[in-house]
């Protein structure tokens, strides 16, 4: 009813007024205590910061993209864990995708041959440091056969009845597959892709769902994926070779779209993020200069340049405490590089609010400095508290995501 709604509004106003009075009273007393003992306040605040900073002894930086941007409860991460436990840091897995525009079906003889053309481009790649594919790849031996390790739907087309030798008299992986596929029709290729058997040349099961887009939904696919596995024993040589492999693949004679994701790209992305740190530092310095000039007035009496420096120093202490506390529960990632600038922006905004309130009180109040500071903080404290809770709630909502880099 209307009466109950009116009563509810009255009660809400009463609660709001009581909260406002309680908040103003708290910040008045806090401001008065600070004004009466400023050195003691600075000393106790600094001690608290140093205690919180002890947590930085547990500081850990995370640069692994898989741990930063992929939810850790996924099947892919579980498989990656098994791989890392059995082959710790020994291989580099690069991905190649052959995709047809407009979701065209490439589960055909032409599609398989174009995927094979990409693998042949990989095999022919020689780096600028004269490293051939056979020198940087991870090799696999099965019986009398020894090839560079790859994973794709091409594996199911290797047939020793069509065995082809290379110029050195050794079995050719791509040559044998080409000899087999060129004898097949589109229907035979499609039957092999969707009916199996899914067994590679080294008697390892091939999982078609990992290498064909949309497998299991329709007897067609618009994209093939292929994994090129390199040895990580010489990381610099593999890094150089991957760059030349990309150029070879993008220049391959295929009619479909080619996408490449290499370990080199991931490393370059990390280096690019690191290169932004100087720009972030310059941004913080510019923000400090702006703060020191605008917090007061442009004259020698009311410049408040020292106050601006102190406000920035307070933000630095807050950042130290934050890194210490957060290091106990989380890791440091690329997203956190923006936090110093964010802290400067939020912290200095609060300083502007306090100084504006202090100036207003100073004009109206003829009492002592301690009471003016107390009244100023009483006015500004409520606004600062509300905005702080709003910011905290926004960060808390961000922490509900499954992406680790955003969550922590």
């Amino acid at each position: 009813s209307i009466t109950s709604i009116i009563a509810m509004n009255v009660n809400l106003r009463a609660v709001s007024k009581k909260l406002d009075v309680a908040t103003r009273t708290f910040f008045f007393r806090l401001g008065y205590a600070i004004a009466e003992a400023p050195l003691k306040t600075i000393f106790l605040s600094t001690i608290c910061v140093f205690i919180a900073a002890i947590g930085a002894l547990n500081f850990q930086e995370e640069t692994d993209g898989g741990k930063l941007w992929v939810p850790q409860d996924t099947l892919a991460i579980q498989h990656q864990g098994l791989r890392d436990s059995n082959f710790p840091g020994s291989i580099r897995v690069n991905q190649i995708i052959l995709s047809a525009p407009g979701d065209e079906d490439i589960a055909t003889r032409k599609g398989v041959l174009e995927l094979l053309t990409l693998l042949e481009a990989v095999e022919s790649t020689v780096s600028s440091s004269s490293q051939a594919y056979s020198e940087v790849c991870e090799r696999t031996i099965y019986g009398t056969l020894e090839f560079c390790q790859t994973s794709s739907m091409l594996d199911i087309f290797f047939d020793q009845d069509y065995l082809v030798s290379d110029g050195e008299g050794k079995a050719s992986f791509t040559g044998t597959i080409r000899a087999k596929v060129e004898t097949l029709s589109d229907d035979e290729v499609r039957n092999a892709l969707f009916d199996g058997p899914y067994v590679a040349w080294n008697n390892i099961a091939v999982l078609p769902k990992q290498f064909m887009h949309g497998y299991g939904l329709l007897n067609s696919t618009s994209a093939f994926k292929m994994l090129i596995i390199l040895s990580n024993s010489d990381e610099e040589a593999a890094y150089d070779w991957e760059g030349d492999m990309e150029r070879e693949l993008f220049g391959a004679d295929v009619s479909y779209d080619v996408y490449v994701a290499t370990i080199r790209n991931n490393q370059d992305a990390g280096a690019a993020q690191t290169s932004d740190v100087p720009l972030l530092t310059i941004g913080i310095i510019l923000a400090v200069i702006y703060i020191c000039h605008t917090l007061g007035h442009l004259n020698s009496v009311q410049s408040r340049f020292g106050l601006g420096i102190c406000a920035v120093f307070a933000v630095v202490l807050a950042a130290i405490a934050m890194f210490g506390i957060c290091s106990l529960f989380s890791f440091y990632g690329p997203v956190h590089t923006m936090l110093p600038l964010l802290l400067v922006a939020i912290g200095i905004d609060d300083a502007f609010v306090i100084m504006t309130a202090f100036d207003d009180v100073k004009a109206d109040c003829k009492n002592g400095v301690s009471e003016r500071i107390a009244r100023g903080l009483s006015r500004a404290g409520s606004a600062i508290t509300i905005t702080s809770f709003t910011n905290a709630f926004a960060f808390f909502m961000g922490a509900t995501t499954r992406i680790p880099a955003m969550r922590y």
Side-chain angles (χ1 to χ4, degrees), residues 236-292:
E236 184 177 351
Y239 176 88
D240 291 338
W241 185 89
E242 286 169 352
D244 291 289
M245 179 191 70
E246 283 191 81
R247 286 187 284 273
E248 289 286 340
L249 289 170
F250 290 134
D253 184 20
V254 294
S255 59
Y256 298 127
D257 297 328
V258 179
Y259 302 92
V260 183
T262 64
I263 300 299
R264 176 189 172 113
N265 290 340
N266 293 339
Q267 294 173 334
D268 290 345
Q273 290 177 345
T274 304
S275 66
D276 289 339
V277 173
L279 296 177
L280 180 62
T281 304
I282 293 173
I284 293 176
I285 293 174
L286 292 176
V288 171
I289 295 174
Y290 171 79
I291 290 160
C292 292

Side-chain angles (χ1 to χ4, degrees), residues 21 27 36 86 124-126 149 152 154 254 319 345 371:
V21 171
F27 280 107
E36 287 293 304
N86 289 282
S124 65
T125 300
V126 178
Q149 188 174 347
S152 70
L154 294 175
V254 294
E371 185 168 345

Side-chain angles (χ1 to χ4, degrees), residues 119-200:
L119 182 54
E120 290 171 340
V122 171
E123 288 187 340
S124 65
T125 300
V126 178
S127 69
S128 55
S129 56
S130 302
Q131 295 282 339
Y133 174 54
S134 58
E135 297 176 271
V136 297
C137 72
E138 181 77 9
R139 303 190 72 83
T140 301
I141 301 175
Y142 181 75
T144 60
L145 300 174
E146 180 180 359
F147 299 124
C148 287
Q149 188 174 347
T150 64
S151 293
S152 70
M153 294 308 297
L154 294 175
D155 291 344
I156 67 174
F157 292 101
F158 185 89
D159 189 340
Q160 293 200 47
D161 293 337
Y162 294 83
L163 195 63
V164 174
S165 300
D166 58 19
E168 299 178 359
K170 299 179 181 179
S172 170
F173 183 68
T174 53
T176 301
I177 294 175
R178 182 171 289 278
K180 169 72 173 181
V181 175
E182 287 181 344
T183 65
L184 303 178
S185 65
D186 283 346
D187 290 338
E188 290 172 324
V189 168
R190 189 182 305 277
N191 290 336
L193 291 173
F194 295 101
D195 297 332
Y198 300 117
V199 181

